[in-house]
Amino acid sequence: MNNVKEKIVRILEENPNDFFCAKEISKKLYLNKEEVCKCLDDLLSEGTLFKVDETRFGYMSENHFAKPLLTNKSGVKYIDLDGNERLYIDDYALNGAFNFDEVIVLKTGDKGKVLKVLKRTNPNVVCEIENIKGVKRLHAFNIPEHVTFSISHNKMKELVEGDRIIIKVGEDEQDGVFNAEFVKYLGHKDDPNSDIKAIAASRDFDFDFSEEVLEEIKQIPTEVTKKELEGRLDLRDKCIFTIDGIYTKDIDDAISLERLPNGNFQLGVHIANVSHYVKKGSAIFEDAYNRGTSVYLLNYVIPMLHHKLSNGICSLNQNEDRLTRSCIMEIDHNGEVVNYKICPTVINSKKKMNYDAVNLILEGNTIPEGYEEFADVLKTMQELSNILTLKRTEKGALEFAPNEIKIDVDENGKALTFNLCHQNSAEHLIENFMIIANETVANHITWLRLPCVYRVHDCPLDQVLDSTITFISELGYRINKVKNFENPKLVQQLLKKLSEYEEYPILSNLILRSMKRAYYTTENIGHFGLASESYTHFTSPIRRFPDLMVHTLLDHYDKIYSENYSEENLNEYLDGLGSRLKEGCKHSSYKERQADLAEEDSNKYAMLEYMENYIGKPFEGNIIEINERGLKVKTDNLITGRVKLYDIDGDNYTFNREKCRLYGKITGQQYRIGNKVLITVKSVDKCDKEIYFILNGNLTKSYVKVKKK
């Protein structure tokens, strides 16, 4: 490093919280600005500096990190460091950063501090106009309370209390206020469906399609033509059918099964050939990329693809010719795929089945009307499904207690009941068949040594899972330590041990929360939760963009070696393709997380509305979380809320952090995670998005952990 570079680095290194432009550095060093600019560019390319904006630079020490800001299931902010480590960031140190923003973080001690927001991943924020003592202000959805915004005075004059708008927020603040631009008027809070629209928009999803998409949609056919059948394997005479929910309209997948002369199974998984209609470069493709996924909010669906595609020509509807890409596998009695082919096909589904009816056949030995001719093949499918389940279990695949909630609503979208989504034989069958098809496609592209979109799940962070296991042990549950966090079988054994206790759903969720999230990438690191060495998403191209990317890749790879690329041109093409896929994976992972958060928001909204009718009413539930502020409880009908310390009857309670329990100062009464409790609904705070309970008493009389009978 030359002398000028050393001087520049010294200035920036001595001021880790400040950023300087070339002009400021030139003045400090009494040097020519052009020479300083050249040195800055060199230091930037070497990774010694980072660029804050168009003109300013900072020093990238070993304690500086340029990473996306993430949030765990408890709402705690962090960044993932290289290796098996996370750096947590307190709310007061966010410096205006939002979830998923690209940020520069300085590590100080064991915590991080955001120095600068490099890029807003989602700069659009939904705000509601509030009028506080005659002054209008913007109240943001899903943004930390300490962040404030400002839009033009003239625009604020046009708006009234309760109006909801979208604003675009920049990276820079002035005196703690971020300047923002008005983007779109959403409506008033009292308008029909305004809350669901606000939830969707705040998570970066749009109900409406652009004019460009609507114009292209007009050109989409409603029927398969003879010309489109050329070069396709014709499977229309085969016994192929679909199994979905009763009300499903966007049907991605169909299945078939035959017993081969050698005794093996020939499983066909036939997937809607969306990439035939949605081509790269089209407005529909770009819109699908931006949306990333379909989103399901109570009784509303925000589809990734227009309904003319999702419910029409792409949906594998009964008795209609449909273009598909099929993964046809020969599977032996050990569940191993011994032969396969992946090719363009045409099918005609013989039956739109639903899970309830199929479960009657597989579990109740009852054949519903219209299913008579399919009963035998369904029972053979269950035989194969059981083989695949056993194989996955032996490999170490993890199965957690059910925690997904299904909310039944009335015609006005009001919640009626909250139920756990349980998987029965039919659901397991479809899951097993889709998993093995996804694995086969991933293995196929990996074997070709060509770029692929992988669905991966890393092993858990050692310190996070170890801390959770220690925590569960201190609650009084007798479990062994996990010695190798890279071995899913050991986590599987842990879950099996915990399943012996009545509180298993709570304990299972604690383990689940200590796991990393699955995501999309071009690097195949395997899928820990599925105990799979190679996995992708191929089976839902109507609803997920990564699946559409995989189908598009297969279209290209069918003919890549027949296009007479020179070796140099082929390598150049594949490098460019790999780079584009990386960006697509990153964006799809972000949109998936946003969709999950939107669904969580809508579920919470339904719970708030539902509980407004039960103020003062008693419920039974379980404690699922304890901290110095109070308790988090889940009622027997699956509604979550909080109990503040002063709302616990019978005593004054203090929190013991080491043992994670509450102690009554006078009575000695204790509360711990898993306790069955009696609670009363105290209030519903829609602004705070929280339900508050009064805790009336502990229904768990003994500290001894009860095993299931």
Side-chain angles (χ1 to χ4, degrees):
M1 187 182 294
N2 65 35
N3 191 40
V4 175
K5 287 184 182 180
E6 289 177 356
K7 291 179 179 179
I8 292 173
V9 169
R10 191 175 302 117
I11 289 174
L12 296 174
E13 190 176 6
E14 290 171 354
N15 299 274
N17 292 306
D18 297 321
F19 311 114
F20 298 92
C21 65
K23 184 177 179 180
E24 292 168 328
I25 294 172
S26 301
K27 283 185 177 181
K28 286 179 177 290
L29 296 178
Y30 303 101
L31 292 172
N32 179 280
K33 183 181 174 183
E34 290 183 4
E35 184 180 3
V36 169
C37 284
K38 184 179 184 310
C39 290
L40 286 170
D41 287 340
D42 290 344
L43 290 167
L44 188 66
S45 63
E46 293 167 8
T48 307
L49 306 183
F50 61 89
K51 203 168 187 178
V52 178
D53 51 34
E54 292 301 316
T55 60
R56 295 182 300 158
F57 297 82
Y59 176 62
M60 183 64 83
S61 73
E62 62 181 11
N63 290 321
H64 284 81
F65 305 93
K67 298 280 186 178
L69 180 69
L70 303 172
T71 306
N72 67 15
K73 292 182 176 70
S74 299
V76 178
K77 304 290 190 297
Y78 67 93
I79 60 171
D80 273 328
L81 304 181
D82 296 331
N84 209 11
E85 186 182 358
R86 280 178 179 171
L87 183 63
Y88 292 96
I89 303 166
D90 292 323
D91 283 351
Y92 65 81
L94 290 173
N95 197 20
F98 306 158
N99 204 17
F100 305 111
D101 283 352
E102 295 285 341
V103 295
I104 294 291
V105 173
L106 174 64
K107 182 178 181 181
T108 53
D110 61 348
K111 290 290 184 76
K113 174 186 177 183
V114 176
L115 297 183
K116 174 67 182 175
V117 176
L118 294 177
K119 179 186 176 184
R120 293 276 187 214
T121 301
N122 176 23
N124 291 337
V125 174
V126 175
C127 294
E128 183 178 313
I129 307 302
E130 293 183 332
N131 194 323
I132 300 177
K133 295 181 179 179
V135 178
K136 294 178 186 176
R137 76 178 188 96
L138 299 171
H139 174 75
F141 285 68
N142 304 315
I143 296 298
E145 287 293 326
H146 61 273
V147 182
T148 56
F149 313 102
S150 173
I151 59 173
S152 73
H153 179 67
N154 289 336
K155 181 54 68 175
M156 284 293 282
K157 283 173 61 177
E158 298 173 9
L159 300 167
V160 300
E161 185 175 12
D163 278 344
R164 288 172 173 174
I165 62 174
I166 299 177
I167 62 174
K168 183 178 181 180
V169 182
E171 294 90 4
D172 297 315
E173 64 173 324
Q174 189 169 2
D175 299 325
V177 178
F178 286 83
N179 286 324
E181 301 173 20
F182 174 84
V183 175
K184 184 179 181 180
Y185 178 73
L186 285 178
H188 193 272
K189 70 176 183 178
D190 295 330
D191 293 343
N193 310 323
S194 64
D195 290 293
I196 293 297
K197 289 180 179 178
I199 287 169
S202 68
R203 296 301 183 185
D204 201 16
F205 292 101
D206 194 343
F207 275 89
D208 302 319
F209 290 94
S210 68
E211 288 298 325
E212 292 81 3
V213 169
L214 295 177
E215 281 300 313
E216 287 188 0
I217 283 294
K218 294 177 183 177
Q219 309 305 315
I220 297 295
T222 56
E223 295 181 349
V224 173
T225 65
K226 285 186 178 180
K227 183 171 179 56
E228 290 174 309
L229 303 183
E230 294 175 4
R232 290 181 176 271
L233 178 63
D234 193 338
L235 301 175
R236 287 177 291 180
D237 63 336
K238 298 290 185 181
C239 180
I240 295 174
F241 49 81
T242 64
I243 308 176
D244 287 281
I246 294 175
Y247 302 109
T248 301
K249 295 179 181 178
D250 50 348
I251 305 174
D252 291 280
D253 56 272
I255 54 175
S256 61
L257 189 70
E258 296 178 24
R259 184 93 67 173
L260 297 174
N262 63 4
N264 287 345
F265 303 92
Q266 185 178 77
L267 171 66
V269 175
H270 315 279
I271 307 300
N273 197 177
V274 177
S275 60
H276 176 82
Y277 300 101
V278 182
K279 299 294 186 184
K280 189 176 182 303
S282 67
I284 298 173
F285 186 93
E286 294 305 315
D287 185 68
Y289 172 87
N290 290 330
R291 291 170 181 265
T293 181
S294 296
V295 191
Y296 302 88
L297 309 178
L298 300 180
N299 59 334
Y300 300 92
V301 179
I302 306 175
M304 184 180 80
L305 299 173
H306 190 276
H307 64 83
K308 190 174 181 181
L309 286 160
S310 60
N311 297 353
I313 191 65
C314 290
S315 185
L316 306 184
N317 301 329
Q318 180 176 326
N319 296 328
E320 295 182 2
D321 289 354
R322 286 293 182 259
L323 303 183
T324 47
R325 181 173 279 276
S326 299
C327 180
I328 303 169
M329 299 156 281
E330 180 182 347
I331 304 173
D332 66 19
H333 283 262
N334 295 316
E336 297 292 337
V337 177
V338 296
N339 201 0
Y340 71 89
K341 61 181 172 183
I342 303 166
C343 58
T345 52
V346 56
I347 70 165
N348 188 296
S349 173
K350 301 300 182 285
K351 180 76 174 174
K352 181 184 187 296
M353 301 187 187
N354 66 75
Y355 290 121
D356 293 343
V358 174
N359 280 321
L360 285 175
I361 297 170
L362 301 182
E363 298 175 359
N365 203 26
T366 300
I367 303 176
E369 185 179 352
Y371 283 76
E372 293 84 359
E373 64 181 293
F374 304 101
D376 288 343
V377 71
L378 284 168
K379 289 177 180 178
T380 305
M381 285 180 169
Q382 186 179 32
E383 181 185 342
L384 174 59
S385 178
N386 291 339
I387 290 170
L388 295 175
T389 295
L390 179 61
K391 178 192 171 190
R392 290 176 55 207
T393 302
E394 288 174 346
K395 289 176 64 179
L398 306 182
E399 187 168 347
F400 295 91
N403 67 349
E404 184 181 350
I405 296 176
K406 180 181 183 294
I407 303 176
D408 293 318
V409 298
D410 63 19
E411 63 275 8
N412 298 314
K414 304 292 185 182
L416 297 172
T417 59
F418 301 80
N419 298 291
L420 282 175
C421 294
H422 289 280
Q423 281 200 329
N424 295 311
S425 296
E427 290 87 349
H428 275 299
L429 184 151
I430 291 297
E431 181 185 44
N432 280 329
F433 289 2
M434 296 307 117
I435 287 174
I436 199 163
N438 286 329
E439 287 179 329
T440 300
V441 170
N443 286 327
H444 171 71
I445 300 178
T446 302
W447 176 78
L448 290 174
R449 296 179 179 271
L450 293 170
C452 185
V453 172
Y454 294 100
R455 176 69 169 178
V456 303
H457 183 218
D458 207 349
C459 59
L461 294 167
D462 294 4
Q463 69 269 30
V464 175
L465 183 54
D466 190 53
S467 175
T468 301
I469 293 170
T470 300
F471 174 72
I472 291 174
S473 297
E474 290 173 351
L475 289 175
Y477 299 91
R478 302 188 60 165
I479 53 176
N480 296 324
K481 290 281 188 179
V482 174
K483 297 179 180 178
N484 180 2
F485 292 94
E486 296 182 3
N487 186 348
K489 282 188 175 182
L490 299 181
V491 180
Q492 183 190 70
Q493 291 168 9
L494 170 65
L495 289 169
K496 184 178 180 181
K497 179 66 177 176
L498 291 174
S499 69
E500 298 173 0
Y501 296 99
E502 288 186 354
E503 300 89 351
Y504 175 60
I506 298 170
L507 304 174
S508 170
N509 192 52
L510 289 173
I511 299 296
L512 178 62
R513 288 171 62 174
S514 69
M515 296 282 124
K516 287 189 173 183
R517 285 185 61 86
Y519 62 98
Y520 299 102
T521 179
T522 57
E523 182 183 354
N524 184 18
I525 62 170
H527 195 294
F528 182 85
L530 293 175
S532 178
E533 294 177 2
S534 189
Y535 192 70
T536 189
H537 270 171
F538 159 78
T539 53
S540 292
I542 291 177
R543 288 173 276 183
R544 295 187 302 226
F545 189 77
D547 304 60
L548 178 54
M549 282 198 286
V550 170
H551 279 250
T552 303
L553 288 176
L554 291 169
D555 291 343
H556 286 218
Y557 295 162
D558 281 346
K559 55 190 177 182
I560 191 170
Y561 291 116
S562 64
E563 293 188 343
N564 297 319
Y565 281 104
S566 69
E567 184 175 349
E568 182 180 348
N569 288 342
L570 179 60
N571 289 335
E572 184 179 339
Y573 165 76
L574 293 177
D575 287 345
L577 177 61
S579 179
R580 292 191 298 274
L581 290 178
K582 283 181 182 178
E583 188 59 36
C585 288
K586 180 180 177 183
H587 178 73
S588 294
S589 297
Y590 157 69
K591 294 299 291 193
E592 177 190 48
R593 182 62 180 134
Q594 289 286 62
D596 288 346
L597 291 170
E599 290 174 24
E600 289 173 18
D601 293 341
S602 65
N603 287 353
K604 189 66 177 181
Y605 166 75
M607 292 178 184
L608 293 167
E609 275 205 325
Y610 181 86
M611 278 305 205
E612 281 185 318
N613 301 312
Y614 291 90
I615 304 296
K617 301 293 184 182
F619 286 84
E620 291 185 8
N622 290 88
I623 298 172
I624 59 174
E625 188 178 302
I626 298 180
N627 56 38
E628 62 275 2
R629 297 184 300 277
L631 311 167
K632 188 174 183 180
V633 294
K634 179 180 285 189
T635 66
D636 287 351
N637 64 334
L638 307 178
I639 291 174
T640 56
R642 294 197 174 275
V643 179
K644 295 180 180 178
L645 282 181
Y646 54 75
D647 282 327
I648 305 176
D649 287 346
D651 207 339
N652 293 321
Y653 285 85
T654 58
F655 175 62
N656 184 307
R657 180 176 296 277
E658 183 180 342
K659 294 185 178 295
C660 194
R661 63 192 66 170
L662 297 177
Y663 289 91
K665 293 181 179 179
I666 301 171
T667 63
Q669 169 73 54
Q670 298 181 28
Y671 286 103
R672 56 179 64 81
I673 289 174
N675 279 171
K676 185 82 170 178
V677 292
L678 180 65
I679 51 180
T680 301
V681 183
K682 179 183 180 183
S683 63
V684 172
D685 189 334
K686 283 193 170 181
C687 290
D688 195 26
K689 300 182 180 69
E690 195 58 83
I691 300 162
Y692 292 100
F693 294 99
I694 296 170
L695 199 160
N696 306 116
N698 196 343
L699 301 177
T700 302
K701 300 303 181 184
S702 171
Y703 177 58
V704 177
K705 299 303 163 190
V706 180
K707 291 191 175 184
K708 292 179 185 176
K709 293 182 180 179

